[in-house]
Each structure stands twice: as structure tokens, then as C-alpha cells.
Amino acid sequence: MTIDAITAVLLAMLGGAIRVSTPFLFVSLGETITEKAGRINLGLEGTLVMGAMSAYAASLHSGSPWLGVLAAAGAGAVFGLLHGLLASLRRVNDIALGIALMLLGTGLAFYWGKAYIQPQAPTLSAFHLGAWSDSPALRSALDINPLFIAGLLLAFALHWAFANTRIGLTLRLVGDSEAAARAAGAAVIPTRIAATVLGGALAGVGGAFLSLFYPGSWNEGLSNGQGIMAVALVIFARWQPRRCVLAALMFGAAGAIGPALQSVGISSGYYLFNAAPYALTLLLMALTCSRDTSLKGAPGELSLNR
Amino acid sequence: MQDRSRFSRRNFIKAAAAAPALALLPAAVRDAIAAGGITVGFIYVGARDDFGYNQAHAQAAAALKKLPGVKVIEEEKVAETVAVQKSMEAMIVQDKAAVIFATSFGYFDPHVLKVAAKYPKAHIAHCGGMWTEGKHPKNVASYFGYIDECQYLNGVVAGLTSKTGKFGFVAAKPIPQVLRNINAFTMGARSVNPNATTRVIFTGDWAMPVKEAEAANSLLDQGCDVLTCHVDGPKVVVETAERRGAFSCGYHASQAKLAPKGYLTGAEWDWVTPNTTFAKALQEGKPFPNFVRGGLKEGFVKMSPYGAAVGEKARKAADDVKAKMLKGEFVIFKGPLKDNTGKEVIPAGKSFAQQAIELEGMNYLVEGVIGSV
């Protein structure tokens, strides 16, 4: 492997980390908020697909991709609200409900999205931070979408808010011990519903990134289970927003390895390289889990723990 | 008692109303058959308007609808699982479909074979499968087109338009049909530029939009200035090339609308020809053909019109080769031909016409392709 080839692969991984990570980042941040309040919403895959479809449709009809992002957040919030309300009923299991909503979300998105497979909607533009470079690879790697930056800022803001604001502390209290939260006078159910709505809205925005920026068009195979992976990344990130960033970037970079190696001519075993993100996740999970520290940081009220 | 009598009266009325209808129905069906009216079913693996594989089939379905006495029923997004068996059975039993076009490669074995064995009077035509005399049932057919001819022409146009001589090919899986397209494209390009190379990236599945975008970007980063692909929906690859100012050659259907600046030309299916052959044979009571193949000459495949970026020289070179193909005088795969590890795969003096069965089992990439199967 020559120096050029190594540089090319590393650059592709950098580019991949920036391009591919955003939907993972938004969905996992959304799920972190929901799970911090003590609920699991497995339906975010459906919300993501629904968000992607609504964003594309709204962008096409209004001509403004940012209105598309707003529409995606709205659609995501509606699905979050549905989950939040239904899961508040007695004896409703939030995990089973999430799976039902995942199927509903993808089904509705495919049904309403039929008309939007063909047309081309205006897509989001990027900041060309690599304009100074001669290398097309570096230039394309540094085409950074504003949503990516928003996601980074959001992660740090959430980290701060969980530790320093009244809302953040209430959210964590509700998620860690319902009894303590009631004793402290916190509104348990409304807080959980609000957290699920916010989580859904963020997942919707993640979907908007898929259909409006990268790969930048709407079709039925768009997500390939990214919403499900992102929910898993939350556990990997130990419910910490800043680690979500790391997990999303790593997942994006690992996904770029397969295509990049083939493009420089290293093509044997590409099935293995294409599986790199999943293999890497498994490996890191195995390495970071031990009997003593497993699920450290998990909110106490999650139905995983009860 | 009151309840039960009302129940039976209702049943009686229902039966009385249904009797004349039942008596009429077979007559109607008989009339339709006498007039040559048939129902044909189409089953697609993805969305009908995907700018790609399924759209090409749906265009043929739309053309069949216009034939007299032909009723078309369609179902999309049918997985290559037991789901397709259920769809086929429903079309045969409920809709009385005379022939079903099962358009996805993975439908054939075991799904099409099972349903065909269960309903020996129904006909199922499968796209791309290998129907073998003696091994497979007589009511099953296989149809396919020699689209590698169009890929060769894509290569000629790309070879004369490119500045770098480097091409990128985003492919799904290394199956014979895909390898044949990659090879034909590369040989076409090298016929006009002997130093041309094609870099191949396999994504692993037919529809992986994010991975296809990653692959397209990696290829462009490596200096490829013409991209083409063999995935179900070429939309992502063509749009990515256009956004980054590169050229593209289309596949399956025309993607010219998606890339007004960089779309050079494309290899398109024309399924109307084989589909009409099957429908006509059944309408006229002729024997059901089992193995139907054709290329440019037979009208199974066609080229997209040249894009604005294609120069006079490239148009002429491609048109010359196309004219020979239309006359049946052009052979793509002939010896001596080496694969990209230097091994001779077709010895000197031997040539395979398009119908050669050896080509349908292709398992190598020719010299000039960077990649491995």
C-alpha cells in the first residue's frame, strides 16, 4: 500500500465520518433525551424515514430545503407525541409500541412518498471549507453541512443542560427514579412525553439530512436500518451526548473503509470491509463491557432495567 | 328461533341474487378468452418509478396495457421471499392471469419453480433466470437482453469524452450479468483509449443509497471523471457525479433528466419486445417460448440519446459500432482476452457470439479493470 493510497483511504474516512455521521448523530441524541427520561423509543427508524419523506416533499413544494427540515422535525414530533401518549397508558410496553410505530412510520412514508421518488427537490447546500485545497478528495471531505455543525453544538449543549439546568436535572430524575421524582414534585408523565416528542423531532431532522443532503434524494431504500443502529449507538455511548458524537463519527468513518479501499485497488475481502462498522461496534462493545461496569449510566427507570 | 329464521332468509336472498351472477360469470370469461383477452401480471422487487430497474419493467407494462385485449395487473415492492409466491398464486387464482412477469433475479429459484409446479396451466416468465430444457418446467420461461452491447457503446462514448481515462463503476454484486457489463464497458473504453482503466466498487446489495454515494465519492476522489453503475436505482450515482461536475453513463432507464450537464448516454432496457412476444403467443394460442434473448438488433435494449457533452468524434465512433451491432457483425467477447490477473480467459481465434452460454457464467474481470470478484 503506497503513501498515496493510505492518504486516500484516510481522507475518505474523514469525509465519510463527516458525511455519513449526521443522521446517526441526530437520532442517537434524540434517543438519549428520550431514554434519559426513562422511555425507550425503538420506533425512531420509522420516524427517520418519515422525516426523510416529509422533508423531501416539503422542500419540493415550498422550494426551500430549510422548510423541509422544519417539516421533518414536525413529522418526527408527531410520531414522538404518539409514542409518548400511548406509552403513558397503563400496561403499555414502550419497546413493543416502538416497533409498531417503526412499521407504521416506514409504511406511511412509503405510501405517501410514492409521488416523490421521481421529482428532484432543492437540497441543502454545504459550507465549502476545503476551497483552499487543490485536492478534490479533501475539498469534498470538507464540504460540511450546517446540520452536522448543529448536531455537534447540540451534543455539547445537551451535555451541559443535563448537568446544569433545572429541566435537565428534572429529566434525569424522572428517568432514574419515578418515586423520587414524584416526591420532588416533578411532573413525571408530561416530562416523559416531552422528552419523546423532542427525541422524535431530532430523529426527523436526521431523516431530512438523508433526503436533502446525503445521498440527497428520496427513495424507499434510503435508510437501510440507520435508525435502528443509532438507537444501539446510544447504549454504546452510555447515554452521554458527547460520546454519541464519537460513536456517530466512528460509525461513519468505518462505513467509508469498504468503498475507499476498493477505489484504491484493494478489493479482496470487500464483504468483510463493508461489514466494518458493525464489526467495529461489536468489538468496542465487547472491549468496553465488563461484569462490573456494564450499563453504567443507564437511567434507572428504563424497561431494560426493571 | 326468530334470529335463526332471519339468518336463513338473508342467506336465501343472497344465494338467489348470486345465482344469476354466477351463471353469467363463466360466460363472460369465455367471451373474453374467445376474443383473445388475457390478463398479464407484473411483479416488481422495488418501487415502480425508481429511475432504474423496476421503472424499465413498468414502462413495458404500460406499453402492454395499450395492446387490444390485454389487461395488466401490477404489484410492486415484493420481496424475494415466500412473499412473491403468495403474490404469484393470488394473480393466478384470483385474477386468472395468463402469464406473470416475475421481474427480479432472486424470484426464480425456488419461488417461480415452486409456483409453476403447483399450477401447471399458468405461465410464468422470469427475467434473467437460466431456464434449462429438461430441468425446469415447461410453463416457465426466461427472458433477458444483451445489455452489454449498450455498455460497450457507453464505454466508447466515455473513452472519447474522458480527460483522465479513469472510469468508476459502482456495482452491487459480482454475479455474471454484472461482471459482463463491467467488462463490456471497459473493453469499449479501451477500444478507443488503450490506457483506460475502470475502478469497480461492489456495494454488496442492489439498493444501498448511502453506500452508493460513498462509492461514487471515493471514485471521484481517485480521479475518475466518468461514472456508471449496475445497481437497481442509478439515481444516487448519477446525481452525485453531476453535483461534482463529472460525467455519467446511465443504466436500466434514462437518467438524463437528473444530470442535464454530465449525462453522456446510457444503456436502457426495452422490455416491450419480449413481453409482447409472450402475450401474443398466449393470445394466439401458439406454444409458450421458454428461452427468449435479444440485443440491440432484436430491440431488447436501446441507448439513451447522446447528452450535450458528447463530441462529434465520440458520436461517430459509437454510431459506427452500433451500426455493426445492428447488422449482427460485431463480437464483443473474442480471443485473445486476458483477465485482470493476466490469465487468458478466451484463447486466440475463439469468439463468443452474444448467445453463447459461456458468457452467462462469466466469473472474471478483464484487463483494465481494477477490482476483484
Side-chain angles (χ1 to χ4, degrees), chain A residues 257-276:
Chain A
I257 294 178
L261 281 179
Q262 289 189 67
S263 77
V264 298
I266 299 168
S267 48
S268 46
Y270 54 84
Y271 276 107
L272 200 64
F273 295 123
N274 281 347

Side-chain angles (χ1 to χ4, degrees), chain A residues 25 29-30 37 42 52 105 115 131-132 180 200 263 266:
Chain A
L25 182 58
L29 286 178
L42 277 187
W132 48 272
S263 77
I266 299 168

